[in-house]
Amino acid sequence: MKTFNDPEVFARVKRLPLYVFTITDRFRDEAIARGVDVVDFSMGNPDTPTPQRIVDRLEAAAREPRYHRYLNPRGLPELRAAAARWFKRRHGVELDPEREVLISIGSKEGIGHALMAMLSEGDTVLAPSPTYPIHAFGAVLAGAESVPVTVGPGVDFFESLVEATEKAERRPKGIVVNFPANPTAAVATPELFEKIVRFAEARDLFIVSDLAYSDIVFDGQKTPSMLAVPGARERTLEFMSLSKSYSMPGWRVGFCGGSATLVAAAARVKSYLDYGLFGAVQQAAVTALDECDDEVVQIRDRYHRRRDALVRHFGEAGWKIPPPAASMFAWAPIPEPFRHLGSLEFAKRLIDEAGVAVAPGIGFGKAGDGFVRIALIVDEPRVQLAAERIQRFLQKGPGGK
């Protein structure tokens, strides 16, 4: 009998690199075990509680026996209708809740299922680089490949898209886009989305658009929707998550809207893999989408204040952080004297020598190795404490003296 003693004996598992954040989590946890008061910017995990009215709706709905049963994996009709209202209210996009909306267990799961539905063995999809892992490795889970498209502040994404397509060995089947972007915090304009749709039409590509950070936009800007572009609906699935906008990360609620054909394809795959969310969670999500716009503004403003504090205090400490235009992250170049270390070793030293945890850019692909991602999940007094420690760390230099 064969003994399975290495997960990488399975070809698909072998194609998935070890999640870098499991390594940095270990560094952080080891420091905490040594008694270090770690200031932790490494996780993309909102630290503020879910608005109370959402929790109250969960508690009430959890007492209703009808939600204790298996439910339609496409999502409750009430939640699909609320998601359609969200698209209409935020972006002026009209969707049919029955045919053009699907509820997912967070946008990450939804994107993974959609790519499994739309890609076959040997296919390729264009995906941002640096990237949130599911945007690139969702293709790998489907037996396909991703083609990196450079993204980031100051990068012409459309130019990168054209160049990547021309260099691709196989004709791509689709495009994954994420604006505002994780990890780079890059934002898109309506003009860019218009170009992407026309590009996809000319090559008959599907589009997966991730709007997870669409509500976390600063300085009076507004995030466009791909579905608002004429012609996009026929080939696009656009995903949204309640995790960041409503401080509901552990609730795992997401949704997508767009092409009825693509919704049906994703729903069929999903129906084989899960029965959907607990009904009480879905009812609470209806309350979030329909009644909590004021709380979304408060949550966005909190991230805005933290962004400003981070940029100010770290700048005074000697680490210039480009202010992100959106998202709950800053994408920070590694200070020049430390850049040769690479992002993983730099992040390890920052924990060991300064008690500050950040996410190494290599965790988002090779293109991210000159950067670290700093999550805006720490209030100003802790930001200031981290800056004081970083100032001493930078003054010692990479030799640590």
Side-chain angles (χ1 to χ4, degrees):
M1 186 179 92
K2 186 172 183 178
T3 300
F4 297 104
N5 56 16
D6 182 354
E8 293 199 3
V9 300
F10 303 106
R12 195 155 295 174
V13 173
K14 190 172 184 178
R15 293 181 62 202
L16 296 170
L18 184 66
Y19 223 52
V20 169
F21 307 114
T22 62
I23 301 172
T24 52
D25 286 352
R26 189 182 77 241
F27 295 158
R28 180 198 61 216
D29 294 345
E30 288 172 351
I32 293 171
R34 296 194 302 269
V36 177
D37 174 26
V38 175
V39 183
D40 188 6
F41 299 95
S42 66
M43 300 291 289
N45 199 356
D47 63 317
T48 54
T50 304
Q52 188 60 46
R53 72 177 85 180
I54 301 173
V55 176
D56 291 344
R57 182 67 186 104
L58 171 74
E59 291 176 345
R63 299 187 185 96
E64 299 184 40
R66 60 183 169 142
Y67 298 132
H68 301 174
R69 303 169 63 92
Y70 292 131
L71 298 171
N72 187 328
R74 292 183 65 128
L76 290 175
E78 304 96 303
L79 183 51
R80 282 185 274 124
R85 289 191 292 271
W86 182 91
F87 268 109
K88 172 65 174 174
R89 190 170 66 251
R90 287 285 200 279
H91 300 291
V93 174
E94 297 266 10
L95 293 172
D96 176 358
E98 183 59 33
R99 299 173 56 254
E100 297 178 319
V101 176
L102 177 67
I103 304 305
S104 60
I105 305 174
S107 56
K108 179 179 180 179
E109 174 266 346
I111 291 168
H113 284 168
L115 291 175
M116 289 175 66
M118 295 185 286
L119 293 172
S120 300
E121 198 82 26
D123 284 347
T124 62
V125 67
L126 297 150
S129 176
T131 183
Y132 183 60
I134 195 62
H135 297 148
F137 289 100
V140 173
L141 293 171
E145 302 277 353
S146 64
V147 176
V149 181
T150 305
V151 65
V155 172
D156 186 327
F157 181 78
F158 186 73
E159 185 177 296
S160 299
L161 184 65
V162 172
E163 182 179 353
T165 304
E166 290 174 346
K167 290 181 177 179
E169 294 181 4
R170 295 191 186 103
R171 189 183 75 81
K173 290 291 185 70
I175 309 168
V176 180
V177 296
N178 171 218
F179 293 104
N182 178 10
T184 66
V187 295
T189 62
E191 292 75 20
L192 173 60
F193 278 6
E194 172 85 27
K195 287 181 178 180
I196 292 171
V197 172
R198 302 288 84 84
F199 182 87
E201 284 179 337
R203 292 159 181 80
D204 196 25
L205 308 178
F206 67 75
I207 302 170
V208 170
S209 172
D210 185 354
L211 284 182
Y213 298 92
S214 63
D215 286 327
I216 314 299
V217 182
F218 310 130
D219 305 317
Q221 296 191 64
K222 187 177 188 300
T223 299
S225 162
M226 192 74 72
L227 288 176
V229 178
R233 184 190 299 255
E234 288 73 21
R235 61 185 62 253
T236 299
L237 278 183
E238 192 150 57
F239 285 85
M240 175 58 185
S241 167
L242 278 67
S243 296
K244 305 328 190 274
S245 298
Y246 301 90
S247 285
M248 296 174 66
W251 299 61
R252 306 308 306 135
V253 187
F255 58 88
C256 69
S259 161
T261 300
L262 299 185
V263 165
R268 185 176 300 185
V269 169
K270 181 178 172 62
S271 69
Y272 276 86
L273 297 173
D274 72 69
Y275 279 106
L277 289 157
F278 178 34
V281 169
Q282 294 192 59
Q283 286 293 354
V286 172
T287 296
L289 293 174
D290 282 347
E291 301 179 20
C292 293
D293 280 356
D294 289 347
E295 283 86 347
V296 170
V297 172
Q298 294 170 18
I299 290 166
R300 183 194 65 216
D301 289 348
R302 183 181 301 117
Y303 287 127
H304 196 166
R305 291 193 298 272
R306 290 175 175 181
R307 180 203 71 170
D308 291 347
L310 180 83
V311 170
R312 181 174 68 255
H313 290 304
F314 279 38
E316 291 169 351
W319 189 0
K320 301 301 181 184
I321 307 292
S327 84
M328 56 179 288
F329 306 112
W331 187 236
I334 297 172
E336 184 58 44
F338 297 83
R339 198 160 295 172
H340 68 282
L341 298 174
S343 60
L344 186 59
E345 177 63 20
F346 175 74
K348 183 179 186 301
R349 290 199 187 185
L350 202 56
I351 293 175
D352 288 344
E353 300 177 30
V356 176
V358 297
I362 190 67
F364 306 96
K366 292 180 181 179
D369 202 24
F371 298 79
V372 295
R373 192 190 72 176
I374 304 173
L376 306 176
I377 55 172
V378 175
D379 280 332
E380 185 167 350
R382 298 282 288 173
V383 171
Q384 190 166 4
L385 172 63
E388 293 167 358
R389 295 177 178 180
I390 286 169
Q391 185 172 36
R392 293 192 291 271
F393 173 79
L394 295 177
Q395 288 172 346
K396 288 190 293 184
K401 297 179 180 180

